[in-house]
Amino acid sequence: MSASASDGAVVAVHQPDSFAFSAEYAAAAEQIEGRYPPEKRASAVIPLLHLAQRQHANWLPKAAMDYVADRLGMARIRVYEVATFYTMFNKEPVGKHLIQVCTTTPCWLRGSDEVLGACKRRLGIGPGETTPDGQFTVVEVECAGACVNAPVVAIGDDYYEDLDGPAMVALLDQLARGESPTPGSQTGRRGSCPATGPTTLTNQPLPSAAADLATGADD
Amino acid sequence: MPKLTIDGMEIEVEAGTSVLQACEQLGIEVPRFCYHERLSVAANCRMCLVEMERSPKPIASCSMPCADGMVIRTNTEQAQRARKGVMELILINHPLDCPICDQGGECDLQDQAIAYGFDRGRYAEEKRSVPDKEFGPLINAEMTRCIHCTRCIRFCEEIAGVSVLGAVGRGTHTEVTTYIDSAISSELSGNLADVCPVGALTNKPYRFKARPWELRKTETIDVLDAVGSNIRVDARGGEVLRVLPRLNEDVNEEWISDKTRFACDGLKRQRLDRPYVRREGKLQPVSWSEALETIAVRLKGVAGRRIAGLAGDLVDAEAMVALKDLLHALGSPNLDCRQDGARYDCGVRAGYLFNTTISGIEQADAILLIGTNPRLEAPIINARIHKRYREGGLKIGLIGQQSQLNYPYEHLGGGVDPLNAVSAGKHAFADILKSSHHPMLVLGAGVLTRDDGAAIQAIAREVAVATGMVRPGWNGFNVLQLAAARVGGLDLGFLPQPGGLDTRGILEGAKAGDIEAIYLLGADEIDPSRFGAAFVIYQGHHGDRGAHRADVVLPGAAYTEKNGTYVNTEGRVQRGRMAVFPVGEAREDWKILRALSERLGVPLPYDTLGQVRDRLIAVNPLFAATGGVETAPWELFGQRGEASEEPFQPYVDNFYMTDPISRASLTMAKCIDAFVPSREGKTGTHG
């Protein structure tokens, strides 16, 4: 596991004193809680922590974990255990844009070092660090599950794929200007179709026996 | 009933038995770290691997239920190799600090590494290290040594009933912690040092004090509450270094409370190590002969009815019977073993005992707690209730002050009104009790110290009868006593004799000048100003309240320093044994009384411990049957009368200081700083 903003168990940063779901999040939480029988409410802990993180600038203060624990009738330590187990829960404040650079083998083979280097050059921060203006946090993550379009970076809820150094810098520039870059492949290919364009099924299908069969079947 | 073969031996076990338990039944030793008989099965240490036929890899025997036709082999090449692999993995991150580790010499990991460890490591990388945790004044946490067996986490949740420990993080970064660096606030936290198989959690006050092989181990009985926990006292020279639990399924299983375990440093402080006599307002050290002579001179010509005797909370039955006989010889009918001034009916044994017995709690399906906080008054009994609660289907009601009990309960009210309502069948909880198979009630001893104690005892008896708690084979009426000496004192009749005064009467008499001399046998819970101008003889082991007021101080022996008999709240007669000699010139208590009787011209008819015990048995044959519990016959007791509506208060509000030993203990003082938020000037058993 790489060093990330989520590592480290002991809470050291400034922690808010209290936390509660806003009306909108409370409604969502109730909907999630409703999926489980009352004595199994604890099952809702991960989705609720996720909601809490979303509401609270993408990180989970201790107060939010306590709030979720009390809400679900769990011992607080049981919630700390869950929250610290998953690296996707941030136990410390992160920048407005959380940049998760995948450095697992396929992405690494396709140049994730260059992508990480671009972040370092453009933002002046290494993995696990946040820019002083609080805009960007860069972390290394293990396989993001989009190897076909490696190297890949997750920023917030979106994936940006087929990156290289300049493309990464361009993305960061756009984000810094407050724009919302288009997610997906940055080389313009659609989904995960071959980078050089379609390589198979390039001609029109022949009138097929299947079509005949289909008409025949109707008879 | 599955039948299986282990190492060529056939065994038939009960369904649900694990392979490891089956191995134990056959006497085959299987190494383990995470498995613990009294905790849930985690199966995460993997040390108990055994080979199972038709299984491609070894299985964790602790979590594999026995099945019909299984063939298990525990001593094959494959099983040995697997265990060695696990051991090597565990040792990768375990520091090589055995020489400075307190667990050294009694460490499961050390012992098993002898059998399954390699003599050198193949791991060249850096070892993991974990920042120190602060778990409070009782438990020292050296978490770099932790092997993540999670016994402590399971103990906290399943036995102590406080979910404070957890494993946070993941993989190699996993840490067992409270996450927010808080002390473990449980009255049973000391047991964590026992369940921890390595040196991660150890006894903090005992840190760096001794090695296990230097210690002299004495099996005895705890006296700091009325549970009578079975303990082992470890001493070196004349010093008691630590107290450990001893297995007794009927009493404390294998747990003891923090006071039992950690108050032993109080045995070294504030001790009375020589006799004193008050001269010119000051206590002056004197010889035994002078002290006894002073008493003899002062008591000469004093009428027996102007003399009184009070026995304290930690006194052994031998000393009490000796004082009782001495007072009788002096013609005094004024004696009481209830220094708290309780006035309830002690004529029927069932009326002051925990009749259900501690292990009987496990059968109960409804419990009514009356004016008691078992978490503070008897943590071991509270742990049994919690154990029963976890099995499910237990309904608990509480009358009296609400407190945190580690299990949910229904609060019926604060005073005698809800109790009357239950008795009359007008309260919904009465129906719960009536419809239960094994209902029980627990009456706090604090309630009995009230002016209307006897009346409440009578109402509680009515509740027991009205809700069907008493029938052949089951008695759900329980008094939770607080003092180790109490039941013994009541059993041997250390009570006002015909025409005599009880504690309150004695104190009023002292104030009025009717009582001229008071003999305090370890009685420290009485406000000294209430003795008036009486001549006070204090016999005991600590310079506590009683000794400060005394005119003559006779140094006695603490519970670790004498062979004494104690009767716990269930009525179980148990023998404590001498672990170290009394300090200085202090003597065993019955011997002091025997020597004094000689000087007073009324020599007691016993010269050996055996003879004192014969006398005990003559007074009450129950003292002959040690270890077991004799069912007390159910008779009429209590006095119908007016009961005040004042809410019931638990008697103990500060668990850590309830007696002269724990009041002298530094560790207990630290616990109060750490765990008791606001004390408002109260200490120990106020009232």
Side-chain angles (χ1 to χ4, degrees):
Chain A
M1 193 173 60
S2 57
S4 80
S6 305
D7 269 357
V10 179
V11 270
V13 289
H14 172 71
Q15 294 276 344
D17 293 330
S18 65
F19 176 91
F21 280 143
S22 65
E24 181 196 345
Y25 279 92
E30 268 161 39
Q31 197 255 323
I32 292 166
E33 286 162 2
R35 294 177 198 158
Y36 307 98
E39 69 277 12
K40 305 277 183 194
R41 270 186 309 164
S43 301
V45 64
I46 291 177
L48 254 56
L49 284 172
H50 187 207
L51 279 183
Q53 172 159 299
R54 237 163 222 285
Q55 186 187 319
H56 195 269
N58 205 17
W59 73 285
L60 268 180
K62 187 182 151 288
M65 299 186 233
D66 291 347
Y67 174 80
V68 170
D70 297 348
R71 196 178 164 105
L72 297 176
M74 301 168 71
R76 291 177 170 188
I77 184 73
R78 299 282 95 85
V79 175
Y80 305 153
E81 285 179 318
V82 172
T84 55
F85 184 85
Y86 293 101
T87 52
M88 297 81 154
F89 290 125
N90 303 312
K91 270 69 68 183
E92 285 171 29
V94 291
K96 187 175 159 208
H97 306 289
L98 177 63
I99 298 166
Q100 297 171 289
V101 183
C102 175
T103 54
T104 309
T105 318
C107 282
W108 175 71
L109 282 168
R110 298 279 297 150
S112 66
D113 285 353
E114 203 190 321
V115 174
L116 209 56
C119 293
K120 174 95 186 165
R121 276 198 312 281
R122 172 64 181 79
L123 303 172
I125 53 172
E129 293 173 358
T130 303
T131 52
D133 61 1
Q135 286 295 304
F136 295 95
T137 297
V138 176
V139 292
E140 266 183 278
V141 294
E142 300 309 325
C143 187
C147 314
V148 278
N149 290 8
V152 59
V153 163
I155 304 177
D157 289 337
D158 296 313
Y159 272 24
Y160 297 88
E161 298 147 8
D162 292 330
L163 294 167
D164 54 15
M168 188 69 215
V169 171
L171 268 182
L172 294 172
D173 286 340
Q174 278 178 283
L175 289 169
R177 288 196 298 272
E179 295 166 16
S180 308
T182 316
S185 170
Q186 300 301 302
T187 54
R189 70 165 147 165
R190 200 162 142 242
S192 52
C193 74
T196 51
T199 56
T200 181
L201 300 179
T202 46
N203 50 358
Q204 286 299 312
L206 296 169
S208 67
D212 294 344
L213 273 177
T215 26
D218 272 347
D219 287 341
Chain B
M1 296 257 286
K3 213 181 221 173
L4 67 162
T5 313
I6 303 175
D7 291 348
M9 290 178 276
E10 259 200 13
I11 182 173
E12 196 172 347
V13 293
E14 264 181 59
T17 308
S18 68
V19 172
L20 189 147
Q21 286 167 328
C23 289
E24 278 188 340
Q25 287 176 22
L26 285 171
I28 300 166
E29 208 175 306
V30 179
R32 87 287 303 266
F33 294 112
C34 73
Y35 176 80
H36 192 283
E37 293 83 354
R38 277 166 224 284
L39 303 175
S40 62
V41 174
N44 53 12
C45 76
R46 316 310 287 182
M47 195 62 204
C48 63
L49 295 175
V50 296
E51 197 184 326
M52 180 169 77
E53 210 169 84
R54 291 199 301 276
S55 163
K57 47 184 189 170
I59 56 156
S61 60
C62 68
S63 63
M64 176 66 79
C66 292
D68 223 15
M70 256 184 186
V71 178
I72 302 288
R73 293 190 197 89
T74 68
N75 48 9
T76 56
E77 176 76 25
Q78 190 201 17
Q80 295 287 322
R81 257 191 42 224
R83 291 175 192 168
K84 282 186 171 178
V86 169
M87 176 59 79
E88 189 176 13
L89 210 61
I90 289 174
L91 289 179
I92 274 183
N93 275 320
H94 192 81
L96 264 178
D97 62 351
C98 301
I100 57 150
C101 176
D102 260 311
Q103 195 84 351
E106 49 187 3
C107 175
D108 291 358
L109 186 57
Q110 227 178 14
D111 295 348
Q112 292 176 34
I114 297 291
Y116 300 100
F118 297 105
D119 62 349
R120 66 208 69 189
R122 289 187 286 177
Y123 180 75
E125 287 77 23
E126 248 176 75
K127 286 192 177 217
R128 177 191 69 128
S129 82
V130 179
D132 278 344
K133 302 277 183 297
E134 180 55 49
F135 284 171
L138 302 178
I139 294 296
N140 187 65
E142 190 84 42
M143 299 315 279
T144 302
R145 297 179 187 144
C146 176
I147 59 167
H148 303 143
C149 70
T150 69
R151 273 187 189 179
C152 52
I153 299 173
R154 285 174 283 146
F155 173 84
C156 277
E157 176 143 350
E158 294 163 19
I159 307 291
V162 287
S163 300
V164 290
L165 279 179
V168 305
R170 67 196 293 183
T172 191
H173 299 290
T174 306
E175 288 182 26
V176 172
T177 173
T178 55
Y179 192 65
I180 44 176
D181 241 7
S182 62
I184 297 167
S185 59
S186 161
E187 288 71 28
L188 296 169
S189 68
N191 297 298
L192 289 171
D194 291 343
V195 297
C196 183
V198 297
L201 302 177
T202 50
N203 180 329
K204 199 176 225 176
Y206 172 71
R207 202 168 177 221
F208 301 145
K209 287 274 161 58
R211 284 296 184 195
W213 55 85
E214 302 173 302
L215 300 170
R216 200 172 57 252
K217 297 149 183 101
T218 312
E219 301 197 332
T220 181
I221 301 296
D222 172 57
V223 302
L224 302 183
D225 58 26
V227 172
S229 294
N230 289 212
I231 54 168
R232 192 184 93 190
V233 169
D234 282 6
R236 186 178 53 191
E239 198 182 359
V240 172
L241 287 174
R242 64 171 177 179
V243 172
L244 293 174
R246 190 154 60 85
L247 186 72
N248 188 330
E249 294 290 351
D250 292 332
V251 183
N252 54 315
E253 298 180 275
E254 59 186 87
W255 319 119
I256 52 173
S257 76
D258 286 353
K259 186 163 54 184
T260 301
R261 185 186 302 262
F262 293 107
C264 62
D265 65 333
L267 293 167
K268 287 178 285 193
R269 297 164 47 83
Q270 291 277 79
R271 288 304 301 273
L272 300 171
D273 58 353
R274 58 170 65 183
Y276 290 89
V277 167
R278 191 174 296 276
R279 285 176 186 147
E280 293 150 15
K282 273 191 169 169
L283 284 173
Q284 312 278 356
V286 294
S287 70
W288 269 110
S289 177
E290 277 175 277
L292 297 180
E293 193 59 34
T294 309
I295 297 171
V297 169
R298 181 64 183 79
L299 291 189
K300 197 166 184 148
V302 176
R305 57 173 185 76
R306 292 174 66 80
I307 302 173
L310 293 171
D313 292 348
L314 312 180
V315 189
D316 53 311
E318 286 83 353
M320 279 189 281
V321 81
L323 181 58
K324 185 187 177 194
D325 287 346
L326 176 62
L327 289 167
H328 180 74
L330 294 172
S332 164
N334 311 317
L335 63 159
D336 203 334
C337 62
R338 298 164 299 178
Q339 57 168 332
D340 48 22
R343 275 181 169 161
Y344 54 96
D345 188 352
C346 299
V348 176
R349 201 162 183 253
Y352 58 80
L353 286 190
F354 201 95
N355 295 296
T356 305
T357 72
I358 297 171
S359 57
I361 293 171
E362 292 185 25
Q363 289 173 44
D365 43 14
I367 302 180
L368 178 61
L369 302 171
I370 305 164
T372 179
N373 177 350
R375 191 170 71 97
L376 302 186
E377 294 180 351
I380 294 298
I381 288 178
N382 200 51
R384 277 289 176 140
I385 300 176
H386 180 255
K387 180 181 181 184
R388 174 65 192 83
Y389 158 73
R390 278 183 64 86
E391 279 169 28
L394 176 66
K395 298 188 183 68
I396 304 167
L398 173 81
I399 299 177
Q401 198 186 68
Q402 295 198 62
S403 35
Q404 178 67 40
L405 289 179
N406 305 342
Y407 39 78
Y409 57 82
E410 182 189 340
H411 188 236
L412 311 188
V416 77
D417 285 345
L419 190 60
N420 274 322
V422 173
S423 162
K426 287 181 195 144
H427 198 287
F429 203 80
D431 300 329
I432 293 177
L433 290 172
K434 277 180 201 163
S435 60
S436 301
H437 297 293
H438 294 99
M440 62 181 277
L441 66 83
V442 180
L443 183 59
V447 175
L448 298 176
T449 63
R450 294 165 37 131
D451 292 337
D452 52 7
I456 293 169
Q457 189 190 19
I459 301 172
R461 187 186 186 282
E462 279 164 23
V463 171
V465 172
T467 57
M469 288 184 186
V470 186
R471 58 166 189 266
W474 178 259
N475 187 342
F477 179 88
N478 299 292
V479 174
L480 178 53
Q481 295 287 354
L482 304 174
R486 195 70 84 244
V487 175
L490 296 173
D491 279 353
L492 60 82
F494 200 96
L495 288 165
Q497 302 302 303
L501 301 168
D502 63 4
T503 301
R504 294 185 193 200
I506 291 167
L507 294 173
E508 279 156 25
K511 205 131 217 192
D514 298 335
I515 296 289
E516 215 173 308
I518 300 181
Y519 200 106
L520 298 180
L521 182 62
D524 283 297
E525 312 302 330
I526 303 168
D527 178 3
S529 67
R530 298 176 72 185
F531 295 123
F535 175 71
V536 175
I537 304 157
Y538 178 81
Q539 175 182 338
H541 40 81
H542 273 75
D544 206 77
R545 279 173 229 171
H548 284 300
R549 166 61 184 80
D551 295 289
V552 178
V553 172
L554 305 176
Y559 69 108
T560 49
E561 298 156 7
K562 60 186 167 192
N563 296 304
T565 304
Y566 304 91
V567 190
N568 80 350
T569 186
E570 308 167 280
R572 188 183 302 277
V573 180
Q574 301 188 105
R575 291 261 161 86
R577 283 177 197 84
M578 180 192 268
V580 293
F581 287 107
V583 294
E585 291 174 39
R587 292 291 179 269
E588 282 184 70
D589 290 87
W590 74 268
K591 287 183 182 167
I592 298 172
L593 286 154
R594 171 68 183 80
L596 178 63
S597 69
E598 189 94 40
R599 286 294 179 102
L600 294 174
V602 284
L604 295 172
Y606 24 79
D607 298 321
T608 65
L609 185 65
Q611 287 171 334
V612 185
R613 287 188 172 158
D614 288 345
R615 169 70 185 140
L616 265 181
I617 293 163
V619 171
N620 191 338
L622 284 168
F623 283 97
T626 53
V629 170
E630 193 122 329
T631 308
W634 184 252
E635 285 161 44
L636 203 60
F637 58 81
Q639 268 169 357
R640 299 230 48 176
E642 275 301 296
S644 109
E645 283 173 21
E646 205 187 315
F648 300 143
Q649 301 284 341
Y651 198 62
V652 174
D653 74 335
N654 173 9
F655 165 72
Y656 297 101
M657 284 194 183
T658 50
D659 51 79
I661 297 175
S662 54
R663 276 196 290 270
S665 159
L666 273 179
T667 312
M668 292 294 105
K670 285 182 196 160
C671 287
I672 289 171
D673 283 345
F675 300 123
V676 186
S678 68
R679 296 201 294 128
E680 294 163 351
K682 287 176 181 171
T683 52
T685 50
H686 64 101

